[in-house]
Amino acid sequence: DAAFFAHRMALMHQELSGSVFVIPQFGVSSKEMDYTLTTLSSAKKLNAFESLSKLDDGSCEAAEDSSSADSQGGSIFHALNDMWWTLSGPYVRGPKKDQAKVDDSTHRERAKTLDDIQLDLIRLLTENEQYSFYGIDLSPILMVDNMGPRDGMKTSEIAREVEEFGGKVCYNGMRLAQLAAFGYTINVLPGAFALSTPDSRNWITVDLSGFSTPPGASRCDGCFL
């Protein structure tokens, strides 16, 4: 389903360059969970979601030590998740039930919310918010247009995906904030999501060779050169 929604969104925006779509991430502890949007919606109603940091043996030290950063950096992704649920609703309830509720004022309100999110991301790059990246305790999944918002801009050149910063912790929101500052349009990808389940966590963390998990396998290990 995620591939379908991603491909469709890319086709819809092929004439509008400079878009970034955030794909939300959810975590569950129950093994009785499939990967459909309908089941995901049911899990939300049952409050079955759990913090990804708790499912991964706790928050990273930097995030725990910076409550102010957590409120700023983390709130941006909460707002993005809320927008994703709003825009993904028609895929669960059916479009006819949502058409009557959506008018011009609704579109303006949603556009303003996305504008506010974009400004909050840019604000993370200011000196006063330099520690806010420590509060972003997950690595965002992004679908990024390789063509920038202006002629001649290429994402692969001006805002490359860099995983190896070196130092104590990774700056999980750095690239997304940079893209917002460069003028990319920040949005969500309705219908597409990532889900962490007991089986998927066991599969990614178990070292079949019998040795300990290699450095970098956990998001709390820091960035390795």
Side-chain angles (χ1 to χ4, degrees), residues 56-57 201-219 221 224:
D56 194 23
D57 298 327
R201 289 190 294 276
N202 290 334
W203 179 82
I204 196 97
T205 56
V206 171
D207 187 1
L208 298 179
S209 65
F211 295 98
S212 59
T213 304
S218 169
R219 73 195 191 294
D221 285 345
F224 290 83

Side-chain angles (χ1 to χ4, degrees), residues 55 119 163 166 198:
L55 292 173
L119 291 175
E163 298 179 353

Side-chain angles (χ1 to χ4, degrees), residues 18 20 125 144-162 165 174-184:
V20 178
L125 298 173
V144 186
D145 189 349
N146 191 42
M147 302 305 297
R150 298 177 181 82
D151 292 339
M153 292 178 64
K154 290 187 177 180
T155 308
S156 57
E157 295 177 354
I158 65 172
R160 298 171 59 187
E161 180 66 57
V162 179
F165 282 106
M174 177 68 77
R175 189 179 187 226
L176 183 58
Q178 287 177 328
L179 292 170
F182 282 132
Y184 286 73

